[in-house]
Amino acid sequence: MDDLYREIILDHYKHPHNAGEISHPSCSAEKVNPLCGDEIRMDIVINNDKVTAIKFSGQGCAISIASASLLTEYSMGKKIKDLLRFSKDDIVDLLGSELTPARLKCALLSLEVIHTALKNYETKKT
Amino acid sequence: MKISSIRNDFPVFEKNKNLTYLDSAATALKPKQVIDSVVQYYSEYPSNVFRGLYPLSQRATEAYEKAREKVAQFIHAHSPSEIIFTRGTTESINFIAYAWGRLNIHSNDEIVTTIMEHHSNFVPWQELVRENGAVLKVIDIDDSNKDSLFRIEKTVFSKITTNKTKLVAITHVSNVLGTINPIKEIIAGVKRINPHCLVLVDGAQAVPHMSVDVQDLGCDFYVFSGHKMMGPTGIGVLWIRKELLEIIPPFHFGGSMIEKVTLEESRYAPPPQKFEAGTPHISGAIGLGAAIDYMNTIGVTNIQKHEMALTEYTLKRLNDFGSITMYCPQIVRHRGGVLSFNLYDSENHLIHPHDVGDVLGLENICVRAGHHCAMPLATRLGIPASVRVSLHIYNDKKDIDRLIEGLEKVRKIFK
Ligand SMILES: Cc1ncc(COP(=O)(O)O)c(C=O)c1O
């Protein structure tokens, strides 16, 4: 257990990176985890098919906030198509810990929101 | 009454050493008496009911109908024909919403419910008014001060009921706050203003823990689930007051519920058969009957007394723990054994209930964390979620001591 609540995760939870909103994002999305009511929103700015700014807002448990923080950090400068390929296993790697199915939902929430936002962007573009 | 010997009735404790189960409001553990009754049905007389002329089927039919009688006696119904077996509370409420509601509630009529309802006693009514243009009125709780009972006061109901109110749908005991609503007084007040208004009471958290007398309460529909009272999952009860049995049409149609079928039309069987189409959950009903026997052997008042004493102890330990906000009444006399709260860290930030539940879970301490299927209530309380502890007859002080130790651990991690 102490594995999941390592310093790094607690640190990202208490002092999340990229928390906030962007006033004119290229795309955004938000989602609720029906299990606990947690809510995450992502605002993303895209230039030349790359993420140049990303911020998240909302409320959630340690795992969902830490994963939003880690994931937004990771996403900076990445290509849309690479981010769309980012998977469940990659999240687990990013958090550096095994997760129970319930906690996996928390960890995946922000990834789902990013994917939704990016897909919205792509459909808008075409 | 020795709780240690009661715990011996629950095989789950043998298979899971060090289990602290504090989530009985979600579903209760099952004593071997209930499990055995189900196994016995499947191994000794696994036949359908009402159909075969052979002894096995007769035995199944008798056991199934005996279970109905037990339920009727347990909630002091007028007769077993008022007891309809369903899948549970949710199906019982939807039954009324579809079979009765959609025929009798029209545009501009009113349904009155409360902010503390479980989604199963809220969404069906929201859906109904969305379809037909009726009005859903939602009554608030009183949590104005430290001694508040977090309940629905009868005076509020009397003010909100009008001659357009067709239905009042209210929970007997809240699955989040533990509040016991003054149902009898509320119903008397409602019926004084509008004698034609029907009242549905959600007894999911009441029947497992206290003595219920549906005739004394004066309601028209009373619903609950078997699995929360130590019975099997997938079986529940809809009690309909006898005067309404003929008026209310069937919800489902098909086998078992008919008397005669021709190409042109069908005549329905008398209640309760007319309300139970298809092969019922026979083992579930038998298991529920066994759960009622089990509760009667211990005595419902003993169960309630034990839970009250343990609730008092839990309230004290939680209050002493500090940095805690409780969302429930403090006066044991007015509440059941459900307690909701949140923990705060040293900087007074909420420790997310999900994290609390997770850390406790790793110690095999089972609590619920979330909105407990009552999102409007969580919103009303201004919280995303809460931690919920709920008690039953197999819990003791040791469980609460372990809970507090677990919470200490949470506090250490989230300093
Ligand atoms: C007050 C209340 N009503 C309704 C329900 C729904 O019961 P079921 O899921 O068994 O249909 C529950 C159980 O979670 C409850 O606590």
Side-chain angles (χ1 to χ4, degrees), chain B residues 230-262:
Chain B
M230 304 185 277
T233 55
I235 188 80
V237 172
L238 163 61
W239 171 81
I240 300 182
R241 170 181 295 291
K242 70 172 187 306
E243 290 80 6
L244 298 166
L245 287 171
E246 298 298 335
I247 304 165
I248 295 178
F251 177 30
H252 291 138
F253 299 83
S256 301
M257 51 80 65
I258 44 79
E259 201 165 76
K260 184 176 176 177
V261 177
T262 64

PDB file of all heavy atoms in Angstrom, chain B residues 230-262:
ATOM      1  N   MET B 230     -29.688  -9.667   5.306  1.00  0.00           N
ATOM      2  CA  MET B 230     -28.974 -10.939   5.429  1.00  0.00           C
ATOM      3  C   MET B 230     -29.551 -12.039   4.530  1.00  0.00           C
ATOM      4  O   MET B 230     -29.199 -13.208   4.646  1.00  0.00           O
ATOM      5  CB  MET B 230     -28.885 -11.401   6.889  1.00  0.00           C
ATOM      6  CG  MET B 230     -28.230 -10.349   7.771  1.00  0.00           C
ATOM      7  SD  MET B 230     -27.947 -10.863   9.472  1.00  0.00           S
ATOM      8  CE  MET B 230     -29.554 -10.567  10.226  1.00  0.00           C
ATOM      9  N   GLY B 231     -30.471 -11.679   3.646  1.00  0.00           N
ATOM     10  CA  GLY B 231     -31.015 -12.622   2.674  1.00  0.00           C
ATOM     11  C   GLY B 231     -30.207 -12.577   1.379  1.00  0.00           C
ATOM     12  O   GLY B 231     -29.229 -11.837   1.273  1.00  0.00           O
ATOM     13  N   PRO B 232     -30.620 -13.369   0.380  1.00  0.00           N
ATOM     14  CA  PRO B 232     -29.899 -13.412  -0.896  1.00  0.00           C
ATOM     15  C   PRO B 232     -30.076 -12.126  -1.706  1.00  0.00           C
ATOM     16  O   PRO B 232     -31.016 -11.351  -1.457  1.00  0.00           O
ATOM     17  CB  PRO B 232     -30.568 -14.579  -1.635  1.00  0.00           C
ATOM     18  CG  PRO B 232     -31.367 -15.308  -0.618  1.00  0.00           C
ATOM     19  CD  PRO B 232     -31.727 -14.318   0.437  1.00  0.00           C
ATOM     20  N   THR B 233     -29.190 -11.908  -2.659  1.00  0.00           N
ATOM     21  CA  THR B 233     -29.395 -10.812  -3.607  1.00  0.00           C
ATOM     22  C   THR B 233     -30.453 -11.229  -4.619  1.00  0.00           C
ATOM     23  O   THR B 233     -30.736 -12.416  -4.799  1.00  0.00           O
ATOM     24  CB  THR B 233     -28.099 -10.473  -4.368  1.00  0.00           C
ATOM     25  OG1 THR B 233     -27.621 -11.674  -4.992  1.00  0.00           O
ATOM     26  CG2 THR B 233     -27.025  -9.935  -3.444  1.00  0.00           C
ATOM     27  N   GLY B 234     -31.044 -10.261  -5.284  1.00  0.00           N
ATOM     28  CA  GLY B 234     -31.995 -10.555  -6.349  1.00  0.00           C
ATOM     29  C   GLY B 234     -33.407 -10.825  -5.881  1.00  0.00           C
ATOM     30  O   GLY B 234     -34.263 -11.180  -6.681  1.00  0.00           O
ATOM     31  N   ILE B 235     -33.655 -10.650  -4.582  1.00  0.00           N
ATOM     32  CA  ILE B 235     -35.035 -10.800  -4.097  1.00  0.00           C
ATOM     33  C   ILE B 235     -35.390  -9.571  -3.263  1.00  0.00           C
ATOM     34  O   ILE B 235     -34.576  -9.065  -2.504  1.00  0.00           O
ATOM     35  CB  ILE B 235     -35.216 -12.103  -3.268  1.00  0.00           C
ATOM     36  CG1 ILE B 235     -36.707 -12.352  -2.938  1.00  0.00           C
ATOM     37  CG2 ILE B 235     -34.397 -12.063  -1.978  1.00  0.00           C
ATOM     38  CD1 ILE B 235     -37.489 -12.949  -4.052  1.00  0.00           C
ATOM     39  N   GLY B 236     -36.589  -9.081  -3.459  1.00  0.00           N
ATOM     40  CA  GLY B 236     -37.035  -7.921  -2.698  1.00  0.00           C
ATOM     41  C   GLY B 236     -38.540  -7.956  -2.573  1.00  0.00           C
ATOM     42  O   GLY B 236     -39.188  -8.899  -3.043  1.00  0.00           O
ATOM     43  N   VAL B 237     -39.079  -6.936  -1.965  1.00  0.00           N
ATOM     44  CA  VAL B 237     -40.500  -6.949  -1.656  1.00  0.00           C
ATOM     45  C   VAL B 237     -41.162  -5.627  -2.037  1.00  0.00           C
ATOM     46  O   VAL B 237     -40.595  -4.550  -1.864  1.00  0.00           O
ATOM     47  CB  VAL B 237     -40.706  -7.215  -0.141  1.00  0.00           C
ATOM     48  CG1 VAL B 237     -42.174  -7.036   0.238  1.00  0.00           C
ATOM     49  CG2 VAL B 237     -40.222  -8.613   0.229  1.00  0.00           C
ATOM     50  N   LEU B 238     -42.353  -5.774  -2.589  1.00  0.00           N
ATOM     51  CA  LEU B 238     -43.250  -4.636  -2.764  1.00  0.00           C
ATOM     52  C   LEU B 238     -44.508  -4.973  -1.984  1.00  0.00           C
ATOM     53  O   LEU B 238     -45.190  -5.959  -2.293  1.00  0.00           O
ATOM     54  CB  LEU B 238     -43.572  -4.439  -4.258  1.00  0.00           C
ATOM     55  CG  LEU B 238     -44.783  -3.574  -4.599  1.00  0.00           C
ATOM     56  CD1 LEU B 238     -44.620  -2.145  -4.085  1.00  0.00           C
ATOM     57  CD2 LEU B 238     -45.012  -3.560  -6.114  1.00  0.00           C
ATOM     58  N   TRP B 239     -44.779  -4.176  -0.957  1.00  0.00           N
ATOM     59  CA  TRP B 239     -46.037  -4.350  -0.233  1.00  0.00           C
ATOM     60  C   TRP B 239     -47.021  -3.320  -0.755  1.00  0.00           C
ATOM     61  O   TRP B 239     -46.706  -2.127  -0.848  1.00  0.00           O
ATOM     62  CB  TRP B 239     -45.833  -4.153   1.280  1.00  0.00           C
ATOM     63  CG  TRP B 239     -47.136  -4.107   2.041  1.00  0.00           C
ATOM     64  CD1 TRP B 239     -47.891  -5.162   2.443  1.00  0.00           C
ATOM     65  CD2 TRP B 239     -47.849  -2.932   2.478  1.00  0.00           C
ATOM     66  NE1 TRP B 239     -49.019  -4.731   3.098  1.00  0.00           N
ATOM     67  CE2 TRP B 239     -49.027  -3.370   3.135  1.00  0.00           C
ATOM     68  CE3 TRP B 239     -47.620  -1.559   2.364  1.00  0.00           C
ATOM     69  CZ2 TRP B 239     -49.955  -2.476   3.687  1.00  0.00           C
ATOM     70  CZ3 TRP B 239     -48.542  -0.670   2.911  1.00  0.00           C
ATOM     71  CH2 TRP B 239     -49.694  -1.135   3.566  1.00  0.00           C
ATOM     72  N   ILE B 240     -48.201  -3.805  -1.150  1.00  0.00           N
ATOM     73  CA  ILE B 240     -49.258  -2.899  -1.608  1.00  0.00           C
ATOM     74  C   ILE B 240     -50.456  -3.052  -0.678  1.00  0.00           C
ATOM     75  O   ILE B 240     -50.922  -4.173  -0.430  1.00  0.00           O
ATOM     76  CB  ILE B 240     -49.694  -3.226  -3.054  1.00  0.00           C
ATOM     77  CG1 ILE B 240     -48.509  -3.088  -4.021  1.00  0.00           C
ATOM     78  CG2 ILE B 240     -50.847  -2.339  -3.494  1.00  0.00           C
ATOM     79  CD1 ILE B 240     -48.875  -3.342  -5.479  1.00  0.00           C
ATOM     80  N   ARG B 241     -50.935  -1.948  -0.167  1.00  0.00           N
ATOM     81  CA  ARG B 241     -52.122  -1.964   0.703  1.00  0.00           C
ATOM     82  C   ARG B 241     -53.270  -2.669   0.002  1.00  0.00           C
ATOM     83  O   ARG B 241     -53.486  -2.455  -1.188  1.00  0.00           O
ATOM     84  CB  ARG B 241     -52.497  -0.515   1.049  1.00  0.00           C
ATOM     85  CG  ARG B 241     -53.838  -0.369   1.753  1.00  0.00           C
ATOM     86  CD  ARG B 241     -54.141   1.084   2.025  1.00  0.00           C
ATOM     87  NE  ARG B 241     -53.168   1.627   2.965  1.00  0.00           N
ATOM     88  CZ  ARG B 241     -53.107   1.278   4.259  1.00  0.00           C
ATOM     89  NH1 ARG B 241     -53.953   0.399   4.749  1.00  0.00           N
ATOM     90  NH2 ARG B 241     -52.198   1.813   5.033  1.00  0.00           N
ATOM     91  N   LYS B 242     -54.008  -3.490   0.738  1.00  0.00           N
ATOM     92  CA  LYS B 242     -54.970  -4.398   0.093  1.00  0.00           C
ATOM     93  C   LYS B 242     -56.031  -3.677  -0.742  1.00  0.00           C
ATOM     94  O   LYS B 242     -56.437  -4.156  -1.789  1.00  0.00           O
ATOM     95  CB  LYS B 242     -55.617  -5.336   1.117  1.00  0.00           C
ATOM     96  CG  LYS B 242     -56.584  -4.718   2.091  1.00  0.00           C
ATOM     97  CD  LYS B 242     -57.283  -5.809   2.909  1.00  0.00           C
ATOM     98  CE  LYS B 242     -58.397  -5.273   3.782  1.00  0.00           C
ATOM     99  NZ  LYS B 242     -57.997  -4.176   4.690  1.00  0.00           N
ATOM    100  N   GLU B 243     -56.444  -2.491  -0.312  1.00  0.00           N
ATOM    101  CA  GLU B 243     -57.466  -1.750  -1.064  1.00  0.00           C
ATOM    102  C   GLU B 243     -56.998  -1.403  -2.481  1.00  0.00           C
ATOM    103  O   GLU B 243     -57.819  -1.119  -3.361  1.00  0.00           O
ATOM    104  CB  GLU B 243     -57.844  -0.443  -0.347  1.00  0.00           C
ATOM    105  CG  GLU B 243     -58.618  -0.609   0.947  1.00  0.00           C
ATOM    106  CD  GLU B 243     -57.723  -0.959   2.138  1.00  0.00           C
ATOM    107  OE1 GLU B 243     -56.487  -0.961   1.985  1.00  0.00           O
ATOM    108  OE2 GLU B 243     -58.285  -1.259   3.223  1.00  0.00           O
ATOM    109  N   LEU B 244     -55.685  -1.410  -2.696  1.00  0.00           N
ATOM    110  CA  LEU B 244     -55.162  -1.000  -3.998  1.00  0.00           C
ATOM    111  C   LEU B 244     -54.851  -2.181  -4.909  1.00  0.00           C
ATOM    112  O   LEU B 244     -54.582  -2.009  -6.096  1.00  0.00           O
ATOM    113  CB  LEU B 244     -53.888  -0.172  -3.803  1.00  0.00           C
ATOM    114  CG  LEU B 244     -54.068   1.142  -3.033  1.00  0.00           C
ATOM    115  CD1 LEU B 244     -52.715   1.698  -2.607  1.00  0.00           C
ATOM    116  CD2 LEU B 244     -54.813   2.164  -3.887  1.00  0.00           C
ATOM    117  N   LEU B 245     -54.903  -3.390  -4.346  1.00  0.00           N
ATOM    118  CA  LEU B 245     -54.458  -4.562  -5.097  1.00  0.00           C
ATOM    119  C   LEU B 245     -55.261  -4.774  -6.377  1.00  0.00           C
ATOM    120  O   LEU B 245     -54.733  -5.201  -7.398  1.00  0.00           O
ATOM    121  CB  LEU B 245     -54.541  -5.826  -4.226  1.00  0.00           C
ATOM    122  CG  LEU B 245     -53.487  -5.939  -3.125  1.00  0.00           C
ATOM    123  CD1 LEU B 245     -53.810  -7.099  -2.198  1.00  0.00           C
ATOM    124  CD2 LEU B 245     -52.095  -6.088  -3.714  1.00  0.00           C
ATOM    125  N   GLU B 246     -56.550  -4.478  -6.324  1.00  0.00           N
ATOM    126  CA  GLU B 246     -57.400  -4.691  -7.496  1.00  0.00           C
ATOM    127  C   GLU B 246     -57.250  -3.566  -8.509  1.00  0.00           C
ATOM    128  O   GLU B 246     -57.389  -3.764  -9.709  1.00  0.00           O
ATOM    129  CB  GLU B 246     -58.876  -4.818  -7.089  1.00  0.00           C
ATOM    130  CG  GLU B 246     -59.175  -6.007  -6.178  1.00  0.00           C
ATOM    131  CD  GLU B 246     -58.869  -7.353  -6.839  1.00  0.00           C
ATOM    132  OE1 GLU B 246     -58.893  -7.427  -8.084  1.00  0.00           O
ATOM    133  OE2 GLU B 246     -58.597  -8.332  -6.108  1.00  0.00           O
ATOM    134  N   ILE B 247     -56.990  -2.377  -7.999  1.00  0.00           N
ATOM    135  CA  ILE B 247     -56.930  -1.192  -8.870  1.00  0.00           C
ATOM    136  C   ILE B 247     -55.655  -1.155  -9.707  1.00  0.00           C
ATOM    137  O   ILE B 247     -55.656  -0.702 -10.844  1.00  0.00           O
ATOM    138  CB  ILE B 247     -56.971   0.102  -8.013  1.00  0.00           C
ATOM    139  CG1 ILE B 247     -58.215   0.109  -7.132  1.00  0.00           C
ATOM    140  CG2 ILE B 247     -56.934   1.347  -8.887  1.00  0.00           C
ATOM    141  CD1 ILE B 247     -58.150   1.146  -6.032  1.00  0.00           C
ATOM    142  N   ILE B 248     -54.560  -1.630  -9.112  1.00  0.00           N
ATOM    143  CA  ILE B 248     -53.275  -1.518  -9.797  1.00  0.00           C
ATOM    144  C   ILE B 248     -53.106  -2.636 -10.813  1.00  0.00           C
ATOM    145  O   ILE B 248     -53.266  -3.809 -10.493  1.00  0.00           O
ATOM    146  CB  ILE B 248     -52.125  -1.514  -8.767  1.00  0.00           C
ATOM    147  CG1 ILE B 248     -52.262  -0.252  -7.912  1.00  0.00           C
ATOM    148  CG2 ILE B 248     -50.756  -1.552  -9.452  1.00  0.00           C
ATOM    149  CD1 ILE B 248     -51.246  -0.128  -6.823  1.00  0.00           C
ATOM    150  N   PRO B 249     -52.824  -2.258 -12.061  1.00  0.00           N
ATOM    151  CA  PRO B 249     -52.660  -3.278 -13.102  1.00  0.00           C
ATOM    152  C   PRO B 249     -51.315  -3.980 -12.977  1.00  0.00           C
ATOM    153  O   PRO B 249     -50.427  -3.494 -12.291  1.00  0.00           O
ATOM    154  CB  PRO B 249     -52.729  -2.470 -14.399  1.00  0.00           C
ATOM    155  CG  PRO B 249     -52.317  -1.098 -14.030  1.00  0.00           C
ATOM    156  CD  PRO B 249     -52.690  -0.892 -12.585  1.00  0.00           C
ATOM    157  N   PRO B 250     -51.150  -5.125 -13.646  1.00  0.00           N
ATOM    158  CA  PRO B 250     -49.855  -5.812 -13.623  1.00  0.00           C
ATOM    159  C   PRO B 250     -48.768  -4.940 -14.250  1.00  0.00           C
ATOM    160  O   PRO B 250     -49.058  -4.061 -15.056  1.00  0.00           O
ATOM    161  CB  PRO B 250     -50.088  -7.053 -14.488  1.00  0.00           C
ATOM    162  CG  PRO B 250     -51.554  -7.185 -14.638  1.00  0.00           C
ATOM    163  CD  PRO B 250     -52.144  -5.832 -14.466  1.00  0.00           C
ATOM    164  N   PHE B 251     -47.534  -5.227 -13.863  1.00  0.00           N
ATOM    165  CA  PHE B 251     -46.388  -4.520 -14.432  1.00  0.00           C
ATOM    166  C   PHE B 251     -45.811  -5.353 -15.589  1.00  0.00           C
ATOM    167  O   PHE B 251     -45.545  -4.860 -16.660  1.00  0.00           O
ATOM    168  CB  PHE B 251     -45.362  -4.313 -13.313  1.00  0.00           C
ATOM    169  CG  PHE B 251     -44.071  -3.668 -13.730  1.00  0.00           C
ATOM    170  CD1 PHE B 251     -44.012  -2.757 -14.784  1.00  0.00           C
ATOM    171  CD2 PHE B 251     -42.889  -3.949 -13.041  1.00  0.00           C
ATOM    172  CE1 PHE B 251     -42.814  -2.146 -15.145  1.00  0.00           C
ATOM    173  CE2 PHE B 251     -41.689  -3.348 -13.399  1.00  0.00           C
ATOM    174  CZ  PHE B 251     -41.654  -2.450 -14.459  1.00  0.00           C
ATOM    175  N   HIS B 252     -45.651  -6.645 -15.323  1.00  0.00           N
ATOM    176  CA  HIS B 252     -45.153  -7.550 -16.350  1.00  0.00           C
ATOM    177  C   HIS B 252     -46.257  -8.548 -16.739  1.00  0.00           C
ATOM    178  O   HIS B 252     -47.101  -8.891 -15.911  1.00  0.00           O
ATOM    179  CB  HIS B 252     -43.940  -8.329 -15.828  1.00  0.00           C
ATOM    180  CG  HIS B 252     -42.731  -7.462 -15.623  1.00  0.00           C
ATOM    181  ND1 HIS B 252     -41.911  -7.572 -14.540  1.00  0.00           N
ATOM    182  CD2 HIS B 252     -42.234  -6.449 -16.376  1.00  0.00           C
ATOM    183  CE1 HIS B 252     -40.938  -6.673 -14.633  1.00  0.00           C
ATOM    184  NE2 HIS B 252     -41.117  -5.974 -15.723  1.00  0.00           N
ATOM    185  N   PHE B 253     -46.204  -8.993 -17.986  1.00  0.00           N
ATOM    186  CA  PHE B 253     -47.236  -9.908 -18.483  1.00  0.00           C
ATOM    187  C   PHE B 253     -46.597 -11.190 -18.980  1.00  0.00           C
ATOM    188  O   PHE B 253     -45.474 -11.180 -19.458  1.00  0.00           O
ATOM    189  CB  PHE B 253     -48.016  -9.234 -19.615  1.00  0.00           C
ATOM    190  CG  PHE B 253     -48.715  -7.968 -19.170  1.00  0.00           C
ATOM    191  CD1 PHE B 253     -48.022  -6.769 -19.116  1.00  0.00           C
ATOM    192  CD2 PHE B 253     -50.041  -7.998 -18.766  1.00  0.00           C
ATOM    193  CE1 PHE B 253     -48.647  -5.609 -18.683  1.00  0.00           C
ATOM    194  CE2 PHE B 253     -50.674  -6.837 -18.336  1.00  0.00           C
ATOM    195  CZ  PHE B 253     -49.977  -5.639 -18.295  1.00  0.00           C
ATOM    196  N   GLY B 254     -47.297 -12.294 -18.849  1.00  0.00           N
ATOM    197  CA  GLY B 254     -46.754 -13.564 -19.345  1.00  0.00           C
ATOM    198  C   GLY B 254     -47.283 -14.732 -18.550  1.00  0.00           C
ATOM    199  O   GLY B 254     -48.439 -14.725 -18.121  1.00  0.00           O
ATOM    200  N   GLY B 255     -46.420 -15.721 -18.333  1.00  0.00           N
ATOM    201  CA  GLY B 255     -46.831 -16.907 -17.605  1.00  0.00           C
ATOM    202  C   GLY B 255     -47.059 -16.612 -16.136  1.00  0.00           C
ATOM    203  O   GLY B 255     -46.647 -15.571 -15.613  1.00  0.00           O
ATOM    204  N   SER B 256     -47.733 -17.515 -15.458  1.00  0.00           N
ATOM    205  CA  SER B 256     -47.965 -17.471 -14.008  1.00  0.00           C
ATOM    206  C   SER B 256     -48.938 -16.399 -13.543  1.00  0.00           C
ATOM    207  O   SER B 256     -49.479 -16.493 -12.457  1.00  0.00           O
ATOM    208  CB  SER B 256     -46.663 -17.258 -13.222  1.00  0.00           C
ATOM    209  OG  SER B 256     -45.762 -18.272 -13.490  1.00  0.00           O
ATOM    210  N   MET B 257     -49.126 -15.329 -14.352  1.00  0.00           N
ATOM    211  CA  MET B 257     -49.940 -14.220 -13.837  1.00  0.00           C
ATOM    212  C   MET B 257     -51.357 -14.236 -14.431  1.00  0.00           C
ATOM    213  O   MET B 257     -52.127 -13.327 -14.197  1.00  0.00           O
ATOM    214  CB  MET B 257     -49.263 -12.866 -14.072  1.00  0.00           C
ATOM    215  CG  MET B 257     -48.772 -12.540 -15.452  1.00  0.00           C
ATOM    216  SD  MET B 257     -50.045 -11.958 -16.607  1.00  0.00           S
ATOM    217  CE  MET B 257     -50.515 -10.415 -15.828  1.00  0.00           C
ATOM    218  N   ILE B 258     -51.660 -15.308 -15.176  1.00  0.00           N
ATOM    219  CA  ILE B 258     -52.962 -15.311 -15.842  1.00  0.00           C
ATOM    220  C   ILE B 258     -53.897 -16.368 -15.254  1.00  0.00           C
ATOM    221  O   ILE B 258     -53.485 -17.308 -14.588  1.00  0.00           O
ATOM    222  CB  ILE B 258     -52.817 -15.589 -17.357  1.00  0.00           C
ATOM    223  CG1 ILE B 258     -51.825 -16.732 -17.599  1.00  0.00           C
ATOM    224  CG2 ILE B 258     -52.408 -14.360 -18.106  1.00  0.00           C
ATOM    225  CD1 ILE B 258     -52.336 -18.088 -17.399  1.00  0.00           C
ATOM    226  N   GLU B 259     -55.172 -16.173 -15.524  1.00  0.00           N
ATOM    227  CA  GLU B 259     -56.165 -17.159 -15.144  1.00  0.00           C
ATOM    228  C   GLU B 259     -56.611 -17.871 -16.406  1.00  0.00           C
ATOM    229  O   GLU B 259     -56.755 -19.069 -16.461  1.00  0.00           O
ATOM    230  CB  GLU B 259     -57.340 -16.432 -14.500  1.00  0.00           C
ATOM    231  CG  GLU B 259     -58.211 -17.279 -13.629  1.00  0.00           C
ATOM    232  CD  GLU B 259     -59.095 -16.388 -12.785  1.00  0.00           C
ATOM    233  OE1 GLU B 259     -60.076 -15.853 -13.357  1.00  0.00           O
ATOM    234  OE2 GLU B 259     -58.791 -16.202 -11.601  1.00  0.00           O
ATOM    235  N   LYS B 260     -56.804 -17.061 -17.476  1.00  0.00           N
ATOM    236  CA  LYS B 260     -57.280 -17.633 -18.728  1.00  0.00           C
ATOM    237  C   LYS B 260     -56.790 -16.781 -19.896  1.00  0.00           C
ATOM    238  O   LYS B 260     -56.841 -15.556 -19.835  1.00  0.00           O
ATOM    239  CB  LYS B 260     -58.807 -17.639 -18.709  1.00  0.00           C
ATOM    240  CG  LYS B 260     -59.412 -18.299 -19.908  1.00  0.00           C
ATOM    241  CD  LYS B 260     -60.912 -18.385 -19.828  1.00  0.00           C
ATOM    242  CE  LYS B 260     -61.403 -18.981 -21.144  1.00  0.00           C
ATOM    243  NZ  LYS B 260     -62.817 -19.179 -21.169  1.00  0.00           N
ATOM    244  N   VAL B 261     -56.327 -17.457 -20.924  1.00  0.00           N
ATOM    245  CA  VAL B 261     -55.847 -16.720 -22.100  1.00  0.00           C
ATOM    246  C   VAL B 261     -56.561 -17.236 -23.332  1.00  0.00           C
ATOM    247  O   VAL B 261     -56.596 -18.438 -23.584  1.00  0.00           O
ATOM    248  CB  VAL B 261     -54.322 -16.901 -22.286  1.00  0.00           C
ATOM    249  CG1 VAL B 261     -53.847 -16.189 -23.552  1.00  0.00           C
ATOM    250  CG2 VAL B 261     -53.563 -16.401 -21.073  1.00  0.00           C
ATOM    251  N   THR B 262     -57.154 -16.335 -24.099  1.00  0.00           N
ATOM    252  CA  THR B 262     -57.712 -16.704 -25.402  1.00  0.00           C
ATOM    253  C   THR B 262     -57.019 -15.845 -26.444  1.00  0.00           C
ATOM    254  O   THR B 262     -56.223 -14.964 -26.100  1.00  0.00           O
ATOM    255  CB  THR B 262     -59.227 -16.426 -25.459  1.00  0.00           C
ATOM    256  OG1 THR B 262     -59.427 -15.010 -25.337  1.00  0.00           O
ATOM    257  CG2 THR B 262     -59.961 -17.153 -24.353  1.00  0.00           C
TER     258      THR B 262
END
